[in-house]
mmCIF file of all heavy atoms in Angstrom:
data_model
loop_
_atom_site.group_PDB
_atom_site.id
_atom_site.type_symbol
_atom_site.label_atom_id
_atom_site.label_comp_id
_atom_site.label_asym_id
_atom_site.label_seq_id
_atom_site.Cartn_x
_atom_site.Cartn_y
_atom_site.Cartn_z
ATOM 1 N N ARG A 922 -5.364 -13.007 47.659
ATOM 2 C CA ARG A 922 -4.217 -13.784 47.179
ATOM 3 C C ARG A 922 -3.539 -14.624 48.272
ATOM 4 O O ARG A 922 -3.278 -15.812 48.035
ATOM 5 C CB ARG A 922 -3.216 -12.869 46.473
ATOM 6 C CG ARG A 922 -2.036 -13.630 45.859
ATOM 7 C CD ARG A 922 -1.320 -12.840 44.786
ATOM 8 N NE ARG A 922 -2.044 -12.851 43.529
ATOM 9 C CZ ARG A 922 -2.356 -11.775 42.815
ATOM 10 N NH1 ARG A 922 -2.014 -10.574 43.258
ATOM 11 N NH2 ARG A 922 -3.016 -11.883 41.693
ATOM 12 N N PRO A 923 -3.300 -14.066 49.475
ATOM 13 C CA PRO A 923 -2.614 -14.865 50.509
ATOM 14 C C PRO A 923 -3.372 -16.133 50.894
ATOM 15 O O PRO A 923 -2.772 -17.085 51.385
ATOM 16 C CB PRO A 923 -2.533 -13.912 51.704
ATOM 17 C CG PRO A 923 -2.706 -12.549 51.137
ATOM 18 C CD PRO A 923 -3.540 -12.689 49.931
ATOM 19 N N LEU A 924 -4.678 -16.178 50.619
ATOM 20 C CA LEU A 924 -5.446 -17.367 50.982
ATOM 21 C C LEU A 924 -5.243 -18.501 49.977
ATOM 22 O O LEU A 924 -5.623 -19.635 50.238
ATOM 23 C CB LEU A 924 -6.939 -17.017 51.068
ATOM 24 C CG LEU A 924 -7.287 -15.923 52.062
ATOM 25 C CD1 LEU A 924 -8.753 -15.554 51.955
ATOM 26 C CD2 LEU A 924 -6.961 -16.378 53.476
ATOM 27 N N GLY A 925 -4.701 -18.154 48.838
ATOM 28 C CA GLY A 925 -4.437 -19.185 47.840
ATOM 29 C C GLY A 925 -5.447 -19.176 46.712
ATOM 30 O O GLY A 925 -6.523 -19.755 46.843
ATOM 31 N N ILE A 926 -5.132 -18.490 45.613
ATOM 32 C CA ILE A 926 -6.017 -18.471 44.446
ATOM 33 C C ILE A 926 -5.751 -19.724 43.624
ATOM 34 O O ILE A 926 -4.622 -19.996 43.241
ATOM 35 C CB ILE A 926 -5.776 -17.196 43.609
ATOM 36 C CG1 ILE A 926 -6.187 -15.953 44.414
ATOM 37 C CG2 ILE A 926 -6.546 -17.250 42.290
ATOM 38 C CD1 ILE A 926 -5.950 -14.635 43.730
ATOM 39 N N LYS A 927 -6.793 -20.510 43.367
ATOM 40 C CA LYS A 927 -6.631 -21.746 42.601
ATOM 41 C C LYS A 927 -6.810 -21.483 41.109
ATOM 42 O O LYS A 927 -6.208 -22.152 40.270
ATOM 43 C CB LYS A 927 -7.686 -22.782 43.031
ATOM 44 C CG LYS A 927 -7.751 -23.047 44.504
ATOM 45 C CD LYS A 927 -6.700 -24.026 44.919
ATOM 46 C CE LYS A 927 -7.142 -25.451 44.549
ATOM 47 N NZ LYS A 927 -6.104 -26.417 44.982
ATOM 48 N N ASP A 928 -7.673 -20.522 40.802
ATOM 49 C CA ASP A 928 -7.985 -20.288 39.394
ATOM 50 C C ASP A 928 -8.578 -18.887 39.255
ATOM 51 O O ASP A 928 -9.184 -18.393 40.225
ATOM 52 C CB ASP A 928 -9.017 -21.322 38.913
ATOM 53 C CG ASP A 928 -8.876 -21.610 37.427
ATOM 54 O OD1 ASP A 928 -8.129 -20.863 36.760
ATOM 55 O OD2 ASP A 928 -9.512 -22.557 36.956
ATOM 56 N N LEU A 929 -8.381 -18.275 38.081
ATOM 57 C CA LEU A 929 -8.867 -16.906 37.927
ATOM 58 C C LEU A 929 -9.183 -16.627 36.456
ATOM 59 O O LEU A 929 -8.403 -16.980 35.579
ATOM 60 C CB LEU A 929 -7.783 -15.940 38.424
ATOM 61 C CG LEU A 929 -8.074 -14.453 38.337
ATOM 62 C CD1 LEU A 929 -7.526 -13.753 39.570
ATOM 63 C CD2 LEU A 929 -7.430 -13.839 37.107
ATOM 64 N N VAL A 930 -10.349 -16.053 36.191
ATOM 65 C CA VAL A 930 -10.719 -15.658 34.828
ATOM 66 C C VAL A 930 -11.251 -14.239 34.857
ATOM 67 O O VAL A 930 -12.052 -13.895 35.729
ATOM 68 C CB VAL A 930 -11.830 -16.569 34.240
ATOM 69 C CG1 VAL A 930 -12.068 -16.227 32.784
ATOM 70 C CG2 VAL A 930 -11.480 -18.027 34.387
ATOM 71 N N ARG A 931 -10.770 -13.393 33.914
ATOM 72 C CA ARG A 931 -11.277 -12.012 33.831
ATOM 73 C C ARG A 931 -11.924 -11.784 32.475
ATOM 74 O O ARG A 931 -11.525 -12.386 31.484
ATOM 75 C CB ARG A 931 -10.125 -11.013 33.992
ATOM 76 C CG ARG A 931 -9.379 -11.153 35.284
ATOM 77 C CD ARG A 931 -8.196 -10.223 35.322
ATOM 78 N NE ARG A 931 -8.616 -8.837 35.483
ATOM 79 C CZ ARG A 931 -7.924 -7.944 36.216
ATOM 80 N NH1 ARG A 931 -6.817 -8.299 36.822
ATOM 81 N NH2 ARG A 931 -8.365 -6.724 36.318
ATOM 82 N N THR A 932 -12.896 -10.923 32.441
ATOM 83 C CA THR A 932 -13.561 -10.653 31.158
ATOM 84 C C THR A 932 -12.840 -9.577 30.373
ATOM 85 O O THR A 932 -13.026 -9.462 29.162
ATOM 86 C CB THR A 932 -14.998 -10.147 31.380
ATOM 87 O OG1 THR A 932 -14.937 -8.958 32.181
ATOM 88 C CG2 THR A 932 -15.854 -11.191 32.029
ATOM 89 N N GLY A 933 -12.030 -8.746 31.038
ATOM 90 C CA GLY A 933 -11.563 -7.517 30.391
ATOM 91 C C GLY A 933 -12.676 -6.503 30.497
ATOM 92 O O GLY A 933 -13.858 -6.868 30.513
ATOM 93 N N PRO A 934 -12.345 -5.226 30.568
ATOM 94 C CA PRO A 934 -13.383 -4.228 30.809
ATOM 95 C C PRO A 934 -14.272 -3.932 29.599
ATOM 96 O O PRO A 934 -13.862 -4.114 28.458
ATOM 97 C CB PRO A 934 -12.595 -2.972 31.195
ATOM 98 C CG PRO A 934 -11.223 -3.184 30.685
ATOM 99 C CD PRO A 934 -10.998 -4.650 30.564
ATOM 100 N N VAL A 935 -15.493 -3.467 29.900
ATOM 101 C CA VAL A 935 -16.337 -2.813 28.899
ATOM 102 C C VAL A 935 -16.542 -1.386 29.390
ATOM 103 O O VAL A 935 -16.419 -1.123 30.583
ATOM 104 C CB VAL A 935 -17.701 -3.517 28.721
ATOM 105 C CG1 VAL A 935 -17.512 -4.842 28.033
ATOM 106 C CG2 VAL A 935 -18.415 -3.683 30.043
ATOM 107 N N ALA A 936 -16.836 -0.472 28.472
ATOM 108 C CA ALA A 936 -16.895 0.936 28.864
ATOM 109 C C ALA A 936 -18.055 1.639 28.186
ATOM 110 O O ALA A 936 -18.551 1.202 27.143
ATOM 111 C CB ALA A 936 -15.584 1.628 28.485
ATOM 112 N N MET A 937 -18.489 2.735 28.798
ATOM 113 C CA MET A 937 -19.589 3.536 28.254
ATOM 114 C C MET A 937 -19.408 4.975 28.736
ATOM 115 O O MET A 937 -18.932 5.199 29.850
ATOM 116 C CB MET A 937 -20.912 2.967 28.762
ATOM 117 C CG MET A 937 -22.129 3.522 28.090
ATOM 118 S SD MET A 937 -23.623 2.732 28.733
ATOM 119 C CE MET A 937 -23.863 1.418 27.564
ATOM 120 N N ALA A 938 -19.780 5.931 27.868
ATOM 121 C CA ALA A 938 -19.654 7.339 28.263
ATOM 122 C C ALA A 938 -20.628 7.637 29.392
ATOM 123 O O ALA A 938 -21.713 7.055 29.467
ATOM 124 C CB ALA A 938 -19.942 8.242 27.063
ATOM 125 N N ARG A 939 -20.256 8.569 30.289
ATOM 126 C CA ARG A 939 -21.162 8.980 31.355
ATOM 127 C C ARG A 939 -22.234 9.921 30.823
ATOM 128 O O ARG A 939 -22.061 10.535 29.786
ATOM 129 C CB ARG A 939 -20.374 9.738 32.425
ATOM 130 C CG ARG A 939 -19.665 8.847 33.410
ATOM 131 C CD ARG A 939 -19.108 9.688 34.543
ATOM 132 N NE ARG A 939 -18.264 8.893 35.415
ATOM 133 C CZ ARG A 939 -18.733 8.137 36.419
ATOM 134 N NH1 ARG A 939 -20.028 8.099 36.687
ATOM 135 N NH2 ARG A 939 -17.908 7.429 37.165
ATOM 136 N N GLY A 940 -23.331 10.058 31.585
ATOM 137 C CA GLY A 940 -24.355 11.051 31.285
ATOM 138 C C GLY A 940 -25.234 10.639 30.111
ATOM 139 O O GLY A 940 -25.398 9.456 29.832
ATOM 140 N N ASP A 941 -25.778 11.644 29.411
ATOM 141 C CA ASP A 941 -26.759 11.379 28.347
ATOM 142 C C ASP A 941 -26.127 10.935 27.039
ATOM 143 O O ASP A 941 -26.810 10.529 26.113
ATOM 144 C CB ASP A 941 -27.572 12.654 28.055
ATOM 145 C CG ASP A 941 -28.338 13.112 29.277
ATOM 146 O OD1 ASP A 941 -28.628 12.248 30.129
ATOM 147 O OD2 ASP A 941 -28.620 14.328 29.375
ATOM 148 N N LYS A 942 -24.810 11.081 26.951
ATOM 149 C CA LYS A 942 -24.128 10.788 25.693
ATOM 150 C C LYS A 942 -24.353 9.336 25.262
ATOM 151 O O LYS A 942 -24.168 8.414 26.051
ATOM 152 C CB LYS A 942 -22.629 10.999 25.877
ATOM 153 C CG LYS A 942 -22.045 12.048 24.963
ATOM 154 C CD LYS A 942 -20.613 12.281 25.310
ATOM 155 C CE LYS A 942 -19.782 12.307 24.073
ATOM 156 N NZ LYS A 942 -18.380 12.608 24.406
ATOM 157 N N THR A 943 -24.740 9.147 23.991
ATOM 158 C CA THR A 943 -24.887 7.784 23.483
ATOM 159 C C THR A 943 -24.108 7.660 22.190
ATOM 160 O O THR A 943 -23.701 8.655 21.605
ATOM 161 C CB THR A 943 -26.362 7.459 23.178
ATOM 162 O OG1 THR A 943 -26.857 8.461 22.288
ATOM 163 C CG2 THR A 943 -27.198 7.411 24.437
ATOM 164 N N ILE A 944 -23.934 6.433 21.762
ATOM 165 C CA ILE A 944 -23.235 6.207 20.501
ATOM 166 C C ILE A 944 -24.212 6.405 19.366
ATOM 167 O O ILE A 944 -25.228 5.725 19.286
ATOM 168 C CB ILE A 944 -22.653 4.785 20.461
ATOM 169 C CG1 ILE A 944 -21.633 4.623 21.572
ATOM 170 C CG2 ILE A 944 -22.051 4.495 19.119
ATOM 171 C CD1 ILE A 944 -21.223 3.182 21.785
ATOM 172 N N LYS A 945 -23.900 7.363 18.490
ATOM 173 C CA LYS A 945 -24.772 7.599 17.338
ATOM 174 C C LYS A 945 -24.451 6.553 16.275
ATOM 175 O O LYS A 945 -23.316 6.417 15.855
ATOM 176 C CB LYS A 945 -24.537 8.994 16.754
ATOM 177 C CG LYS A 945 -24.756 10.118 17.746
ATOM 178 C CD LYS A 945 -26.225 10.522 17.816
ATOM 179 C CE LYS A 945 -26.443 11.748 18.681
ATOM 180 N NZ LYS A 945 -25.774 11.671 20.006
ATOM 181 N N MET A 946 -25.501 5.837 15.866
ATOM 182 C CA MET A 946 -25.269 4.751 14.920
ATOM 183 C C MET A 946 -25.503 5.172 13.479
ATOM 184 O O MET A 946 -26.042 4.427 12.694
ATOM 185 C CB MET A 946 -26.150 3.572 15.271
ATOM 186 C CG MET A 946 -25.468 2.566 16.150
ATOM 187 S SD MET A 946 -24.010 1.916 15.347
ATOM 188 C CE MET A 946 -24.760 1.323 13.847
ATOM 189 N N LYS A 947 -25.160 6.416 13.135
ATOM 190 C CA LYS A 947 -25.354 6.781 11.727
ATOM 191 C C LYS A 947 -24.164 6.290 10.906
ATOM 192 O O LYS A 947 -23.165 5.842 11.452
ATOM 193 C CB LYS A 947 -25.542 8.286 11.583
ATOM 194 C CG LYS A 947 -24.366 9.084 12.065
ATOM 195 C CD LYS A 947 -24.659 10.566 11.912
ATOM 196 C CE LYS A 947 -23.436 11.327 12.306
ATOM 197 N NZ LYS A 947 -23.605 12.564 12.941
ATOM 198 N N ASP A 948 -24.296 6.361 9.573
ATOM 199 C CA ASP A 948 -23.237 5.880 8.695
ATOM 200 C C ASP A 948 -21.958 6.663 8.930
ATOM 201 O O ASP A 948 -21.982 7.803 9.350
ATOM 202 C CB ASP A 948 -23.647 6.067 7.229
ATOM 203 C CG ASP A 948 -24.792 5.151 6.868
ATOM 204 O OD1 ASP A 948 -25.265 4.428 7.764
ATOM 205 O OD2 ASP A 948 -25.195 5.168 5.701
ATOM 206 N N LYS A 949 -20.859 6.009 8.610
ATOM 207 C CA LYS A 949 -19.569 6.678 8.702
ATOM 208 C C LYS A 949 -19.591 7.875 7.753
ATOM 209 O O LYS A 949 -20.016 7.768 6.611
ATOM 210 C CB LYS A 949 -18.478 5.707 8.259
ATOM 211 C CG LYS A 949 -17.130 5.981 8.914
ATOM 212 C CD LYS A 949 -16.080 5.073 8.301
ATOM 213 C CE LYS A 949 -15.709 3.920 9.211
ATOM 214 N NZ LYS A 949 -14.683 3.046 8.625
ATOM 215 N N GLN A 950 -19.166 9.032 8.265
ATOM 216 C CA GLN A 950 -19.190 10.243 7.440
ATOM 217 C C GLN A 950 -17.788 10.559 6.956
ATOM 218 O O GLN A 950 -16.825 10.319 7.672
ATOM 219 C CB GLN A 950 -19.681 11.435 8.279
ATOM 220 C CG GLN A 950 -21.126 11.335 8.687
ATOM 221 C CD GLN A 950 -22.060 11.354 7.502
ATOM 222 O OE1 GLN A 950 -21.899 12.173 6.608
ATOM 223 N NE2 GLN A 950 -23.009 10.431 7.465
ATOM 224 N N PRO A 951 -17.689 11.160 5.748
ATOM 225 C CA PRO A 951 -16.377 11.671 5.365
ATOM 226 C C PRO A 951 -15.941 12.686 6.421
ATOM 227 O O PRO A 951 -16.752 13.512 6.846
ATOM 228 C CB PRO A 951 -16.615 12.349 4.032
ATOM 229 C CG PRO A 951 -17.916 11.839 3.543
ATOM 230 C CD PRO A 951 -18.710 11.437 4.747
ATOM 231 N N LYS A 952 -14.696 12.605 6.828
ATOM 232 C CA LYS A 952 -14.230 13.491 7.880
ATOM 233 C C LYS A 952 -13.959 14.890 7.337
ATOM 234 O O LYS A 952 -13.844 15.080 6.143
ATOM 235 C CB LYS A 952 -12.947 12.938 8.507
ATOM 236 C CG LYS A 952 -13.124 11.593 9.170
ATOM 237 C CD LYS A 952 -13.949 11.732 10.431
ATOM 238 C CE LYS A 952 -14.152 10.409 11.161
ATOM 239 N NZ LYS A 952 -14.421 9.261 10.325
#
Side-chain angles (χ1 to χ4, degrees):
Chain A
R922 184 160 282 129
L924 302 174
I926 294 178
K927 307 278 282 181
D928 209 349
L929 179 141
V930 186
R931 301 175 72 144
T932 58
V935 289
M937 191 178 266
R939 278 189 188 276
D941 299 335
K942 240 174 134 177
T943 55
I944 298 168
K945 302 275 187 311
M946 266 300 304
K947 61 181 184 214
D948 292 2
K949 208 186 256 181
Q950 292 296 314
K952 298 290 181 319

